[in-house]
Amino acid sequence: MALDNGAKPEAVHDSTLVSKAPSNQVLLVLRLVAFFATAAATIVMALNKETKTIVVATIGSTPINATLTAKFQDTPAFVFFVIANGMASLHNLLMVVVEIWGHKFDYKGLRLAMIAVLDMMTVALASGGDGAATFMAELGKKGNSHARWNKICDKFGTFCDHGAGAIISSFVGLLLLVLITALSIGRLVKPRPATLSPV
Amino acid sequence: MAKVGRLFGLVLRLLALGATMSAAIVMGTSHERASVFAISFEAKYSDIPSFKYFMIANAVVSVYSFLVIFLPAETLLWRLVAAFDMVVTLLLTSSVSAALAVAQVGKDGNVRAGWLPICGQVPKYCNHVTGALGAGFAGLILYAMILLYSVHTVLYPLLD
């Protein structure tokens, strides 16, 4: 790391050149798209709510209605999904801001390494949220005869559709996040001068 | 220095192999038969797709760990191993998270959906699954450390 401190000042001066390199622009575009995907997943799932009024009994000639609501907060897996995707979209937004405006700030030359590590952590979080929500949605769609759990998608179709859309969008965001992580790890490799032989 | 580093990576991978293999085996052998109101009620891991996914994911990861332990040092394949470590960590997080979500429904039920908890009827099965989930978590944490370590190992010679 002492070497890095000595070698880094040139990289900071070169940073304006680096920011215009094609790989950084590709990374920026990918981050924007991933931000939109995860933000869309968060918002669609957070607003996912369906109310249904069903007739429970009939006394004389007046039907008694019961109002059932399906909200995303009923299921802890969906709550985790919303939180995980919210944090992933915040992370993407922060990284976009840092890419565009943050080139002057560097911390002991570790900025790219910190970005790569944060990307890895966000990928793990987002994949956890996706896994939980997918299997919960599958349980809601098909039920489970062994555990005597009924399916709920036949009664709350819109809730299920919105949830499915949010999960798909989140998977797209996850895929992009994996690509972004690979690219940002690749950025850690400094270009070697041609005189050195490769390892 | 490189030897100590390699030993550290190897120890981590051995521990992760143990954790994931035990998670897969414990989940695979979870099985209990109970009778409620003269109806025989059998709980197996394969009844719940989430637990099947958990078992398969942990089995795949333990086979992968076993193979990587025998990889000789200084081949170029270590870069591929770093990439695979990321994929494997993703697989582990999603499997643990999915199994945990469904296990939580099994334990507490879900009043709004009309799902009754099943842990009251099959407590030994629930404990078994909890143990498997604990081992899965340990494997996940170990693999997160392995991922950071292998990315560092692959990039370190190229960082100066």
Side-chain angles (χ1 to χ4, degrees), chain A residues 22-105:
Chain A
S23 73
N24 278 343
Q25 286 176 333
V26 166
L27 198 60
L28 194 62
V29 167
L30 281 180
R31 278 199 201 276
L32 267 171
V33 178
F35 164 66
F36 283 128
T38 45
T42 316
I43 291 172
V44 169
M45 187 57 95
L47 299 174
N48 201 5
K49 186 172 167 160
E50 188 178 354
T51 314
K52 233 181 169 70
T53 314
I54 57 174
V55 178
V56 174
T58 313
I59 297 186
S61 58
T62 47
I64 301 183
N65 295 331
T67 315
L68 294 172
T69 316
K71 311 197 282 289
F72 83 95
Q73 295 108 314
D74 297 336
T75 320
F78 288 160
V79 173
F80 178 48
F81 176 80
V82 167
I83 293 175
N85 275 283
M87 289 186 62
S89 55
L90 265 177
H91 164 88
N92 279 321
L93 188 63
L94 190 68
M95 290 301 141
V96 164
V97 164
V98 162
E99 292 272 344
I100 300 180
W101 285 296
H103 274 291
K104 294 189 208 59
F105 302 110

Side-chain angles (χ1 to χ4, degrees), chain A residues 100-151:
Chain A
I100 300 180
W101 285 296
H103 274 291
K104 294 189 208 59
F105 302 110
D106 205 346
Y107 180 72
K108 294 196 190 150
L110 279 177
R111 196 186 67 159
L112 290 179
M114 286 199 300
I115 290 180
V117 167
L118 277 174
D119 275 336
M120 281 194 262
M121 282 166 42
T122 308
V123 158
L125 189 65
S127 88
D130 281 345
T134 308
F135 278 97
M136 220 38 163
E138 192 257 353
L139 192 62
K141 195 170 179 71
K142 298 210 202 118
N144 192 317
S145 56
H146 300 273
R148 314 252 190 301
W149 291 334
N150 301 324
K151 54 179 133 176

Side-chain angles (χ1 to χ4, degrees), chain A residues 4 69 71 74-77 80 120 123-124 127-128 131-132 135-136 138 140 144 146-150 152 178 181 185 188-190 192, chain B residues 39 41 47-50 53 79 86 90 93-94 97-98 101-102 104-106 110 112-113 115-116 118 147-148 151 155 157-160:
Chain A
D4 282 346
T69 316
K71 311 197 282 289
D74 297 336
T75 320
F80 178 48
M120 281 194 262
V123 158
S127 88
F135 278 97
M136 220 38 163
E138 192 257 353
N144 192 317
H146 300 273
R148 314 252 190 301
W149 291 334
N150 301 324
I152 61 171
V178 170
T181 308
I185 292 178
L188 288 173
V189 177
K190 289 213 200 81
R192 281 177 301 223
Chain B
I39 308 172
F41 181 67
D47 293 340
I48 303 178
S50 185
Y53 174 54
R79 305 186 189 197
M86 154 140 290
L90 283 189
T93 50
S94 75
S97 163
V102 176
Q104 193 267 339
V105 172
N110 193 323
R112 314 297 305 243
W115 291 338
L116 299 172
I118 62 169
L147 172 68
L148 286 174
V151 167
L155 288 179
L158 304 169
L159 273 178
D160 43 77

Side-chain angles (χ1 to χ4, degrees), chain B residues 36-114:
Chain B
V36 179
F37 306 126
I39 308 172
S40 180
F41 181 67
E42 186 178 359
K44 289 200 303 283
Y45 79 94
S46 55
D47 293 340
I48 303 178
S50 185
F51 293 166
K52 261 201 294 203
Y53 174 54
F54 179 80
M55 200 205 79
I56 292 175
N58 273 283
V60 165
V61 170
S62 61
V63 166
Y64 165 76
S65 314
F66 184 68
L67 289 175
V68 166
I69 288 177
F70 294 116
L71 200 64
E74 313 308 331
T75 58
L76 281 179
L77 276 179
W78 279 104
R79 305 186 189 197
L80 197 62
V81 166
F84 274 150
D85 276 342
M86 154 140 290
V87 171
V88 153
T89 307
L90 283 189
L91 202 61
L92 280 180
T93 50
S94 75
S95 71
V96 164
S97 163
L100 197 60
V102 176
Q104 193 267 339
V105 172
K107 192 171 178 69
D108 295 335
N110 193 323
V111 177
R112 314 297 305 243

Side-chain angles (χ1 to χ4, degrees), chain B residues 26-33 42-45 124-125 128:
Chain B
V26 168
M27 182 63 92
T29 55
S30 63
H31 181 235
E32 187 177 349
R33 187 176 283 271
E42 186 178 359
K44 289 200 303 283
Y45 79 94
K124 284 215 300 264
Y125 177 70
H128 227 96

